[in-house]
């Protein structure tokens, strides 16, 4: 929820808002709806829509699960005839092409919407401003750019995937204050607070897949599920040098329940399915860094648009060294170990003058932990 | 400056304050004065005093440099006859004993002060509430405890030193986001932002001495001065296994300008002065950890009540392992190196279940850096 929203609500509740405050308020409401849906709409982006008539919300909607309706359609169906002459607030440019559903703009026009506020243009080459022009040609007033920054951040993974044709990679690390991910005995449970771990559950829910290295699978036998969301499982990915995964692992035992992928280096690029129901992705590249580059392109083709990489040391370091991490979350637990497993260990270190820095950093406190997030770039 | 203060000032400026708001306001003013003086009053604590008559500040003062006047005396001299019937706000219980100066309570009584607000009792065994009783016996109304937490935090080092008979140790570390203090080539300039480094200058100014290990001296030849304060130098301490320091180092060349100490392990506990004017402190303990325990007691006796330890890896790790760090400042520069010198490296690591955690943590952002401070305790 943006600061603007809070200010308006706290200062204006029960009072008259100015026109521009109203527009912000309703677009924020559409963004809130999109946030709610985030993580359940793959491969579609999460979109929110609000229909307003005479300063009152008469309908709202968010993208339904894959194959379901788009946000605008949900809201328009809810509004029915009342939509005539009203204003639509939508967080992403409506579609103008036939996909799983028919074009949203047809429905907007036929429902008699008079004015549309669009937070941002859809960078999908099939849309890219086309819908806006069509609506304007139909005599509908269209405003673009309200809360665009917030809308872009919300779907940063989707926007990256669709424009770059590579999956978006989020790297999460849980570190001690002295940069360790495990103590000298190898124990890592728990470095961070329960509040941090709850937030990680939310992160899992918001990604198309969760990925770990084979070592993490062997040592922790993780579930890789988003426990906060009963009905939705992100896909699970294990990066392994060979096909042999522990048969009694949670991963193998539950491969029929949820999409499960093992990423293998080398060979010829191809995808097979094992008897357990596990997809075996051969990246076609022997070199670990090249293999990851190949992986993100394969993930895009396979409709896994965003992957949350959850340590350990090796996998996180490889993704960072490959320059493939789009967003990093560093959780610092309130612990000093003095000695232990380093969170990151590159094959060759960077120098102070030329190293990785984080752009657009944000900080959040979770209990006694602090979290830093940003976009890693090589300076 | 406390939040309370801001709220009052912003909400009440130009309006009437309630009595309790006024008391907070004036005590905060006294605390502000004490903060200004912090670091220039050794071996005295930094104290602030404000005299108020008819809701107006008629005089104020802070502890003068060593041997100079106490805060109350500065303010009382400024107020002169106008002090009669007025209220004194002072951040620490006034003294009742003859030290370098005569007892402050005599002056408070003779100036006809009617009411005194004291933020906190002086834990010095020579005072410890005695002054408060004497003032009350003289018919003066005394209130104790207003902004006591803030006043305690301000002089935490002094309070520790006087009650524990050991110098207060602050450890400062400048780390990359992955916990390194130097890159793989050993470069450490600069991990943190200029804003962080400016704050470290302020930290230096607020301590009686700044300490480094011999390796840091050899590699960086640091000035160890507080550049933000032209007239004040904290004392400088180097921890060395033997007496041989580089003769052309800034430390040796300027030993006559400022108190300079070399701490040596083993031998018999004694203090000598070298021909360069350097004090050689033999701790009498060969074991590195025992030697530091001996050191903090010697520093107390030698009137160095607070020491800022500025890395490197070995010295910081030793102080933490010895359980002698009273406050740690961890500055995280916005850098990831992937490989390099670890900020801390204990001789034996701690386990997740039983490691060091920070109590009463605070976070501050300095440019693109984040700083975490707290009191390290073994959980």
């Amino acid at each position: 929820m943006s600061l603007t929203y809070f200010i308006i609500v706290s200062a204006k509740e029960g009072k008259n808002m100015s026109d521009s405050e109203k527009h912000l308020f309703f677009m924020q409401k559409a963004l809130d709806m999109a946030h709610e849906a985030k993580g359940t709409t793959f491969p579609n982006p999460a979109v929110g829509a609000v229909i307003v008539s005479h300063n009152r919300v008469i309908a709202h909607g968010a993208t339904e699960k894959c194959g379901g309706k788009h946000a605008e359609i949900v809201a328009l169906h809810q509004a029915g005839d009342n939509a005539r002459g009203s204003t639509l607030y939508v967080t992403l440019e409506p579609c103008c092409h036939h996909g799983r559903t028919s074009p949203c703009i047809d429905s907007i026009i036929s429902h008699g919407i008079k004015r549309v506020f669009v937070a941002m243009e859809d960078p999908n080459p099939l849309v890219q401003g086309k819908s806006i022009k069509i609506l304007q040609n139909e005599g509908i007033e269209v405003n673009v750019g309200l809360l665009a920054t917030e809308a872009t951040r919300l779907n940063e993974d989707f926007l990256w995937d669709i424009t770059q044709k590579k999956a978006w990679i989020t790297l999460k690390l849980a570190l001690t204050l002295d940069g360790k991910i495990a103590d000298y005995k190898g124990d890592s449970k728990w470095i961070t607070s329960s509040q941090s771990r709850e937030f990680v559950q939310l992160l899992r829910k918001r990604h198309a897949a969760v990925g770990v290295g084979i070592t993490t699978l062997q040592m922790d036998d993780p579930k890789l599920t988003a426990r906060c969301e009963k009905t939705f499982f992100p896909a699970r990915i294990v990066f392994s040098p060979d096909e042999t995964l522990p048969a009694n692992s949670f991963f193998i035992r539950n491969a029929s329940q949820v999409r499960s992928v093992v990423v293998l280096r080398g060979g010829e690029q191809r995808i097979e399915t094992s008897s357990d129901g596990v997809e075996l992705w051969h990246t076609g590249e022997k070199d670990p860094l090249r293999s990851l580059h190949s992986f993100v392109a394969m993930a895009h083709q396979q409709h896994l648009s965003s992957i949350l990489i959850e340590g350990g040391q090796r996998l996180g370091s490889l993704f960072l060294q490959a320059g493939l991490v789009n967003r990093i979350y560093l959780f610092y637990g309130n612990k000093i170990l003095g000695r232990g497993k380093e969170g990151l260990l590159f094959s060759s270190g960077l120098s102070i003058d030329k190293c990785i820095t984080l752009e657009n950093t944000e900080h959040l406190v979770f209990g006694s932990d602090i979290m830093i997030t940003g976009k890693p770039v090589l300076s």
Side-chain angles (χ1 to χ4, degrees), chain A:
Chain A
M1 211 173 285
S2 78
L3 186 62
T4 326
Y5 180 65
F6 271 120
I7 291 168
I8 293 172
V9 170
S10 60
K12 291 284 178 173
E13 210 164 15
K15 296 182 192 170
N16 289 330
M17 294 185 193
S18 75
D19 274 355
S20 58
E21 283 170 339
K22 276 178 206 158
H23 299 322
L24 272 173
F25 181 86
F26 293 126
M27 185 60 89
Q28 184 62 55
K29 210 165 159 54
L31 269 173
D32 292 348
M33 305 226 40
H35 268 290
E36 276 290 311
K38 181 77 183 174
T40 65
T41 66
F42 297 112
N44 288 333
V47 178
V50 165
I51 299 175
V52 173
S53 178
H54 299 97
N55 293 328
R56 253 181 5 97
V57 174
I58 59 166
H60 51 68
T63 319
E64 289 184 346
K65 286 185 190 162
C66 177
K69 292 194 278 286
H70 286 188
E72 305 90 319
I73 305 301
V74 176
L76 287 166
H77 283 193
Q78 201 181 96
D81 283 346
N82 296 326
R84 200 152 300 277
S86 65
T87 301
L88 168 71
Y89 297 82
V90 62
T91 58
L92 185 69
E93 182 180 4
C95 68
C96 54
H97 56 291
H98 282 272
R100 286 179 203 79
T101 59
S102 44
C104 288
I105 52 165
D106 292 359
S107 200
I108 293 170
I109 295 163
S110 69
H111 273 79
I113 292 284
K114 201 179 145 193
R115 185 166 56 162
V116 180
F117 282 86
V118 172
M120 63 176 294
E121 263 192 24
D122 187 347
N124 185 337
L126 294 171
V127 188
Q128 269 188 326
K130 270 185 223 141
S131 298
I132 291 165
K133 285 209 187 78
I134 298 173
L135 291 172
Q136 285 170 332
N137 289 342
E138 290 290 327
I140 296 172
E141 183 189 329
V142 185
N143 299 272
V144 184
L146 191 63
L147 295 181
T149 309
E150 289 79 355
T152 307
R153 171 71 199 271
L154 170 69
N155 280 314
E156 57 184 7
D157 47 358
F158 170 81
L159 303 171
W160 173 266
D161 176 76
I162 206 157
T163 57
Q164 306 296 312
K165 305 200 182 310
K166 293 189 250 182
W168 167 276
I169 301 295
T170 300
L171 174 62
K172 173 231 124 184
L173 281 174
L175 301 160
T176 63
L177 291 170
D178 51 338
K180 306 291 179 281
I181 53 168
D183 67 16
Y184 71 99
K185 297 179 292 186
D187 284 352
S188 60
K189 286 199 173 77
W190 296 109
I191 282 172
T192 48
S193 67
S194 57
Q195 292 95 323
S196 290
R197 297 193 323 263
E198 221 166 275
F199 185 79
V200 172
Q201 291 295 325
L202 189 69
L203 284 183
R204 286 186 181 175
K205 172 189 172 293
R206 292 168 77 106
H207 285 79
V210 177
V212 295
I214 180 71
T215 318
T216 303
L217 189 84
Q218 286 162 342
M219 289 184 59
D220 299 347
D221 192 23
K223 292 201 171 52
L224 303 178
T225 55
R227 281 181 282 276
C228 57
E229 182 71 20
K230 285 195 184 68
T231 55
F232 180 76
F233 259 20
R236 305 173 307 162
I237 302 178
V238 174
F239 295 80
S240 170
D242 56 46
E243 297 175 31
T244 326
L245 293 190
N248 61 347
S249 62
F250 186 91
F251 183 85
I252 296 291
R253 282 188 285 119
N254 292 273
S256 61
Q257 304 289 317
V258 54
R259 190 171 182 187
S260 304
V261 175
V262 174
V263 179
L264 300 158
R265 283 193 270 136
E268 203 162 323
Q269 194 177 106
R270 69 190 187 280
I271 295 177
E272 303 163 333
T273 306
S274 79
S275 56
D276 304 310
V278 174
E279 296 176 26
L280 303 175
W281 293 12
H282 300 265
T283 64
E285 295 281 357
K286 195 94 196 127
D287 173 76
L289 300 189
R290 280 169 182 275
S291 178
L292 293 185
H293 278 277
S294 177
F295 161 74
V296 292
M298 290 177 83
H300 164 78
Q301 285 153 15
Q302 293 296 314
H303 305 296
L304 293 178
S305 55
S306 61
I307 325 278
L308 175 67
I309 300 296
E310 298 206 40
Q313 182 193 72
R314 186 178 150 77
L315 191 61
S317 297
L318 282 176
F319 267 106
L320 269 175
Q321 283 181 96
L324 287 173
V325 177
N326 298 96
R327 175 171 291 284
I328 192 168
Y329 285 91
L330 297 165
F331 291 86
Y332 293 92
N334 183 359
K335 286 186 170 54
I336 292 176
L337 292 170
R339 188 178 274 268
K341 190 172 188 178
E342 292 170 87
L344 293 170
L345 194 59
F346 289 7
S347 51
S348 58
L350 302 171
S351 68
I352 293 267
D353 311 332
K354 197 173 167 61
C355 63
I356 294 171
T357 60
L358 305 190
E359 279 183 356
N360 301 324
T361 51
E362 299 165 31
H363 311 98
L364 268 181
V365 172
F366 290 104
S368 59
D369 301 351
I370 188 148
M371 183 275 279
I372 302 177
T373 182
K375 177 184 168 48
V377 288
L378 196 64
S379 66

